Amino acid sequence: MPRPSAVRPILLATSILATACVLATALPALAAPPTGGWVFDGGPDFPGFTRVQVHKDHGHYSGTVTSHWYGDLPLDDVRVDGDNLVFHLSNGNPRVAESDIVLKPEGKAVHMTGKLWYADFDIPAHKATTKALKALDFPVYPLPPRRVVQPLARAETPPMGWNSWNKFATDIDDRTVREIADNLVASGLRDAGYVYINIDDGWQGNRDQAGLLQPNAKFPDMKALADYVHARGLKLGIYSSPGPKSCAGYEGSYGHIEQDAKTFAGWGIDYLKYDLCSGEAFYHTPETVHAVYQQMAEAIAATKRPMIFSLCEYGRFDVGSWGRDVGGSLWRTTGDIEDKYETMAKIGFEKNGVPNHTGPGGWNDPDMLEVGNGGMTTDEYRTHISLWATMAAPLILGNDVRHMTPDTLALLTNREVIAIDQDAAGVQGLPVKKEGTREIWTKRLSDGATAVGLFNRGDEAASVTVTWAELGLKPAKVRDIWANTELAPAAVQTVTIPRHGAVLLRVTP
Ligand code: GLA
């Protein structure tokens, strides 16, 4: 028989337990999201989800969703909703607002529903062993310590050429590139300075067993294409990404940087546009973005083939202040241009980086030209090219040069406009006066003259009055470049400009 003093606590414990059992059966079970790891069963190619892992620590849920495009994305803004876990995923690009993603238990499995970037998804995942989850680890590669890279190619003036993206997007092939090469020559564009032919996204195929990146079936022989282009006095450019995927979802250079640089050099490539794309999910600090661009610059330098290195990370982290250090000859300062006046004007008038960063050897790049693509009027395209020339921006054509109107050709080949863009001083012109929708921009030229751009951003024709003294100029000669006329160098000049139009003057003291 137990002693009475010991019996009492036992009785007490038994009655607490009994009450708890009664309560537990009376109340519904408290729902809570599951923890563990699951492997996705299929799902869309973008972003190629592979696994989801959820942990709980001191009542807080955390975890990651892994994908082929973006590696491990942490669960952000996690909240519990019954037995569902609701969270956000960020791919590093703020252009698309993040939306709720729901992880819902279904027995031992889970279901993940939501939207990332532009894509909706609704995919099941099965419970997986530690080993199966581990097999889906996203590879992480070391980044180089910070160093300054001296490129073998130097762009003394803003690069000029053609690029496939604005007109053709991924619908580009060997034959079209050859025809573009022929037409750059036949139209006089090459002789006007447009010498690079740059194949943008969409040329990439798969890697072979040795990891060598092959072009896709639309580009049967890159080396032969480079030879063809070179034989016409032109240079060939190509496109890749430091991430696993290019922006259009083709194979990126992730994990194959040195190998790809060698491949490009072997083909005879002269120019590389390197686009952050899927890498933006995990290269999202100034240090890592600097390091991945430096890494490719070092890989290019190691090939000993001079290549213009074009940085495309949309102007993040004040790229102009370090673009030259990573061997860059030009760096995008903005998101993508479109063949629309509003987008072009927003980029050109308002967003082209820090002007002091531009100059011989390195150029702010407000994106490629849309002139000739049909979405703007001739006046609007005149504004586009005049503004780009005034800013000493790279002039990379984005139209189908096989089919050009006389207006388009005239806009693209005006030697005096090109001379302003290509002026040896390499100064980025700036606005000196803004009055409502009217703007006056100036650019100092190496021979002492000044380029003056008069712009009407308004929806109606407008007259713009220039008082030379106000701009610190004493003109002996005023030339209206587009009109191909000399204006009397009066102290005050008034010109009428059509809606969205431009007048470009060369003012000589
Ligand atoms: C990004 C770039 C564009 C173009 C596309 C290709 O959007 O900014 O210029 O290269 O990728 O997918």
Side-chain angles (χ1 to χ4, degrees):
M1 271 262 318
R3 285 176 293 129
S5 59
V7 170
R8 219 172 296 130
I10 291 171
L11 283 177
L12 194 64
T14 316
S15 78
I16 291 173
L17 204 64
T19 322
C21 286
V22 170
L23 277 177
T25 42
L27 293 175
L30 276 183
T35 57
W38 298 265
V39 169
F40 288 104
D41 305 317
D45 285 349
F46 172 83
F49 289 121
T50 57
R51 67 178 184 195
V52 53
Q53 301 185 97
V54 177
H55 320 281
K56 191 177 177 189
D57 191 16
H58 292 93
H60 293 290
Y61 284 88
S62 62
T64 52
V65 177
T66 308
S67 73
H68 291 310
W69 282 60
Y70 300 130
D72 292 327
L73 295 178
L75 310 187
D76 290 336
D77 311 322
V78 184
R79 61 174 210 271
V80 171
D81 178 10
D83 57 359
N84 292 343
L85 204 62
V86 185
F87 51 86
H88 289 170
L89 295 176
S90 164
N91 71 346
N93 193 319
R95 190 162 7 129
V96 178
E98 289 168 26
S99 51
D100 282 355
I101 294 172
V102 179
L103 192 71
K104 185 180 173 53
E106 284 179 351
K108 286 191 171 173
V110 290
H111 211 99
M112 190 170 82
T113 314
K115 184 177 177 187
L116 181 64
W117 195 231
Y118 293 98
D120 293 306
F121 53 82
D122 181 7
I123 23 175
H126 62 268
K127 187 90 183 169
T129 61
T130 311
K131 196 172 161 208
L133 291 165
K134 178 95 188 109
L136 295 172
D137 275 355
F138 185 75
V140 175
Y141 303 103
L143 292 170
R146 204 172 180 107
R147 284 185 286 263
V148 171
V149 187
Q150 295 299 339
L152 293 173
R154 194 178 141 86
E156 283 304 330
T157 58
M160 290 177 68
W162 177 89
N163 174 293
S164 52
W165 184 255
N166 285 356
K167 173 70 188 176
F168 298 95
T170 57
D171 194 13
I172 185 70
D173 53 32
D174 175 280
R175 182 169 166 191
T176 307
V177 174
R178 285 173 194 244
E179 288 175 9
I180 296 288
D182 294 342
N183 281 274
L184 281 175
V185 177
S187 61
L189 283 165
R190 179 199 63 188
D191 294 343
Y194 299 95
V195 293
Y196 288 97
I197 296 205
N198 299 340
I199 306 168
D200 206 276
D201 210 351
W203 66 267
Q204 312 89 320
N206 297 317
R207 293 187 185 277
D208 68 13
Q209 284 195 330
L212 282 175
L213 184 54
Q214 309 294 322
N216 60 40
K218 294 190 292 174
F219 290 91
D221 188 340
M222 255 329 162
K223 172 103 181 59
L225 179 56
D227 291 345
Y228 187 92
V229 164
H230 290 152
R232 280 149 188 80
L234 297 161
K235 293 169 184 253
L236 189 64
I238 211 159
Y239 168 101
S240 193
S241 167
K245 297 285 181 184
S246 73
C247 295
Y250 290 81
E251 186 72 18
S253 291
Y254 191 67
H256 296 271
I257 310 244
E258 285 76 20
Q259 199 178 21
D260 286 359
K262 275 191 207 145
T263 300
F264 301 154
W267 287 339
I269 296 295
D270 308 294
Y271 184 122
L272 174 67
K273 174 173 167 185
Y274 206 42
D275 197 348
L276 189 54
C277 298
S278 67
E280 70 187 350
F282 46 91
Y283 299 136
H284 49 53
T285 61
E287 294 73 28
T288 51
V289 173
H290 183 290
V292 285
Y293 279 89
Q294 179 193 316
Q295 194 173 29
M296 180 50 101
E298 290 182 317
I300 294 171
T303 70
K304 303 274 187 276
R305 182 168 179 91
M307 271 184 230
I308 293 291
F309 190 34
S310 163
L311 317 186
C312 183
E313 47 83 276
Y314 335 117
R316 290 183 189 168
F317 310 122
D318 196 19
V319 59
S321 66
W322 51 267
R324 290 164 194 263
D325 292 349
V326 297
S329 291
L330 64 162
W331 41 83
R332 279 273 294 279
T333 51
T334 72
D336 289 11
I337 196 168
E338 291 170 298
D339 190 20
K340 285 184 198 153
Y341 176 75
E342 288 67 28
T343 312
M344 179 280 291
K346 181 102 196 139
I347 286 175
F349 285 111
E350 293 164 30
K351 294 209 162 176
N352 193 21
V354 178
N356 287 348
H357 295 152
T358 254
W363 308 94
N364 282 333
D365 172 13
D367 207 355
M368 305 171 291
L369 298 173
E370 292 281 8
V371 177
N373 278 338
M376 295 185 232
T377 65
T378 300
D379 286 326
E380 291 169 340
Y381 283 139
R382 187 173 293 113
T383 293
H384 186 4
I385 186 99
S386 302
L387 190 54
W388 262 236
T390 306
M391 292 193 293
L395 298 180
I396 307 293
L397 309 173
N399 61 316
D400 186 349
V401 300
R402 298 170 303 179
H403 310 286
M404 282 183 288
T405 64
D407 268 359
T408 298
L409 192 60
L411 286 172
L412 297 177
T413 52
N414 186 302
R415 300 295 168 120
E416 292 169 88
V417 176
I418 291 174
I420 289 173
D421 180 78
Q422 295 286 300
D423 184 77
V427 173
Q428 179 167 331
L430 286 174
V432 286
K433 196 170 176 191
K434 295 190 182 188
E435 255 179 10
T437 52
R438 290 167 290 189
E439 299 195 10
I440 302 177
W441 289 52
T442 61
K443 177 187 203 272
R444 187 175 51 77
L445 301 172
S446 50
D447 66 355
T450 301
V452 179
L454 310 176
F455 299 99
N456 172 16
R457 296 179 66 178
D459 293 337
E460 307 292 334
S463 57
V464 175
T465 299
V466 193
T467 307
W468 295 120
E470 228 176 60
L471 307 186
L473 299 175
K474 282 194 195 138
K477 205 174 146 197
V478 178
R479 177 158 170 76
D480 181 335
I481 294 177
W482 291 117
N484 193 16
T485 54
E486 309 293 328
L487 304 179
V492 175
Q493 206 95 50
T494 298
V495 293
T496 301
I497 310 179
R499 80 188 286 267
H500 297 173
V503 166
L504 192 57
L505 307 173
R506 186 179 183 107
V507 176
T508 314

